[in-house]
Amino acid sequence: CPKGLGTLQCFIRRNKGIKNALFPEYRVYLKANETFLMTSKKRAGSKTSNYLISMGRNDLDKNSANIIGKLRSNFLGTEYAIYDDGRNPEFDESYYEDRKCCDGDIRCELGAITYSSNTSLGSKGPRKMKACIGKVDDEGRPLQMWQPV
């Protein structure tokens, strides 16, 4: 958010329809006036939880210009990494030739989220969450890049 504006409060709404039972969809809104900010949906066919993040309310095509990044978890769902919309360093150039996305830069990790387990056996209550997001300059560019070499 712009400097001087302070903290913005948001909320997440989960779309619980039958269609989204296995691949949930989440939307983020400003708390003050319920302005839509972004949407995310769990992707099928991934070994771990993997969510596309889009600025378009119903636009979750991975080749869309509205895609701003993704969220990927480890197998247990205790660690998450947030990436921008850059290229996966494990794919070769031919994978991206016919696609509209990815301007050629290798993706950067924008942040991380970790959850610690509940101490009570079988408890479904809230878990402790830690989030780490890097500092940005006045134009919103990261001051430090986290990306594979």
Side-chain angles (χ1 to χ4, degrees):
C1 79
K3 270 189 174 179
L5 193 57
T7 303
L8 294 176
Q9 286 190 327
C10 302
F11 67 94
I12 299 172
R13 188 175 289 151
R14 179 179 179 181
N15 185 347
K16 298 181 184 180
I18 295 173
K19 180 177 100 174
N20 295 320
L22 294 176
F23 306 106
E25 181 177 295
Y26 300 90
R27 292 188 176 163
V28 179
Y29 299 88
L30 281 177
K31 187 173 183 180
N33 56 8
E34 294 197 18
T35 301
F36 169 80
L37 298 176
M38 61 185 150
T39 189
S40 181
K41 184 170 178 117
K42 187 173 184 180
R43 296 177 63 197
S46 297
K47 294 176 187 169
T48 60
S49 293
N50 184 341
Y51 296 81
L52 278 180
I53 303 169
S54 174
M55 297 292 286
R57 187 180 301 265
N58 295 309
D59 185 5
L60 289 161
D61 179 354
K62 71 179 184 177
N63 297 322
S64 169
N66 283 326
I67 298 298
I68 57 172
K70 76 176 185 176
L71 177 74
R72 170 166 276 169
S73 80
N74 66 352
F75 179 75
L76 299 174
T78 56
E79 298 174 358
Y80 290 81
I82 306 164
Y83 296 100
D84 67 7
D85 64 341
R87 292 187 306 108
N88 183 333
E90 296 177 10
F91 294 171
D92 63 15
E93 295 295 325
S94 63
Y95 177 82
Y96 294 100
E97 285 175 0
D98 298 332
R99 301 181 189 280
K100 297 174 193 156
C101 71
C102 309
D103 60 5
D105 292 335
I106 292 177
R107 69 180 178 209
C108 294
E109 188 172 331
L110 302 176
I113 301 167
T114 62
Y115 287 97
S116 53
S117 331
N118 275 332
T119 54
S120 334
L121 188 61
S123 174
K124 293 199 178 214
R127 301 181 289 172
K128 288 186 180 178
M129 178 179 81
K130 292 181 183 178
C132 175
I133 298 173
K135 290 184 178 182
V136 295
D137 64 15
D138 290 338
E139 282 78 43
R141 293 183 301 258
L143 293 175
Q144 182 178 5
M145 302 293 271
W146 301 329
Q147 66 185 170
V149 287

